[in-house]
């Protein structure tokens, strides 16, 4: 990781860093600094924006096509996750267990809330899922929802 810090705060952050870990990985920090300085990081970010944008679009398109108005999607404008809210009557934790039995890994949305009853749904990450696998995963989710 790295941090962008205003110059007047560098000494303060360096002291805190040394307090947390006496031996920071200097070699790796130098490698990352060179990677950034030589423009590789900017190129990587541009490529990833295109890739993740494509994955997000495929996921949203497939969710709407396969699940229609039965679900509500939020958070689709940024990040590598979105929230899928389920209609009344569905229990996300039970569905996540059933999905896991079918090799589909879902994070229950209710686990993110303290309030009871918690909203039911899933946090869907698409950052590590290849674009061509997304439609199949959504169809598998549809099948699990329809089996209830």
């Amino acid at each position: 990781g790295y941090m962008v810090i205003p110059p007047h705060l560098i000494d303060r952050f360096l002291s805190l860093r040394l307090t947390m870990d006496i031996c920071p990985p200097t070699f790796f920090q130098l490698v990352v600094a060179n990677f950034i300085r030589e423009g590789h990081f900017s190129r990587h970010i541009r490529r990833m924006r295109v890739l993740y944008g494509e994955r997000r679009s495929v996921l949203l398109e497939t969710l709407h096509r396969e699940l229609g108005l039965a679900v509500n999607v939020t958070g689709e404008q940024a990040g590598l996750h979105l929230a899928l809210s389920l209609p009344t009557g569905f229990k996300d934790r039970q569905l996540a267990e059933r999905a896991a039995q079918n090799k589909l890994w879902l994070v229950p949305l209710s686990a993110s809330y303290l309030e009871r009853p918690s909203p039911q749904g899933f946090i869907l990450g698409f950052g590590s899922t290849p674009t061509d696998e997304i439609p199949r995963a959504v169809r598998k989710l549809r099948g699990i929802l329809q089996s209830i």
Side-chain angles (χ1 to χ4, degrees):
Y2 68 93
M3 294 177 70
V4 177
I5 303 170
H8 69 281
L9 294 176
I10 290 175
D11 288 339
R12 201 175 291 172
F13 274 82
L14 182 58
S15 295
L16 182 60
R17 174 67 174 113
L18 290 173
T19 300
M20 291 170 41
D21 183 0
I22 293 174
C23 271
T26 309
F27 174 75
F28 296 112
Q29 290 175 348
L30 290 171
V31 169
V32 170
N34 285 335
F35 186 79
I36 292 169
R37 188 174 22 267
E38 293 170 5
H40 302 299
F41 186 62
S42 294
R43 282 191 298 281
H44 172 73
I45 293 296
R46 284 192 297 275
R47 283 193 310 270
M48 293 301 100
R49 280 187 179 147
V50 170
L51 176 67
Y52 296 142
E54 179 184 339
R55 288 178 181 175
R56 179 187 304 109
S57 294
V58 168
L59 177 57
L60 287 168
E61 178 184 304
T62 308
L63 285 169
H64 291 298
R65 184 179 63 245
E66 298 292 336
L67 303 179
L69 299 175
V71 296
N72 182 37
V73 177
T74 56
E76 70 275 11
Q77 297 301 318
L80 299 175
H81 296 82
L82 53 84
L84 178 76
S85 299
L86 295 171
T88 305
F90 286 98
K91 300 294 183 199
D92 59 6
R93 290 174 193 241
Q94 292 171 352
L95 289 167
E97 287 177 21
R98 182 174 286 182
Q101 292 168 357
N102 290 285
K103 297 189 179 1
L104 180 64
W105 316 115
L106 300 171
V107 177
L109 183 62
S110 63
S112 299
Y113 287 85
L114 293 176
E115 67 187 62
R116 297 289 182 244
S118 300
Q120 300 295 300
F122 302 107
I123 299 170
L124 302 179
F126 51 85
S128 63
T129 305
T131 306
D132 61 341
E133 290 182 21
I134 292 172
R136 185 174 51 82
V138 172
R139 285 190 297 275
K140 193 180 279 193
L141 173 59
R142 183 192 66 206
I144 291 165
L145 293 173
Q146 289 175 340
S147 69
I148 300 293

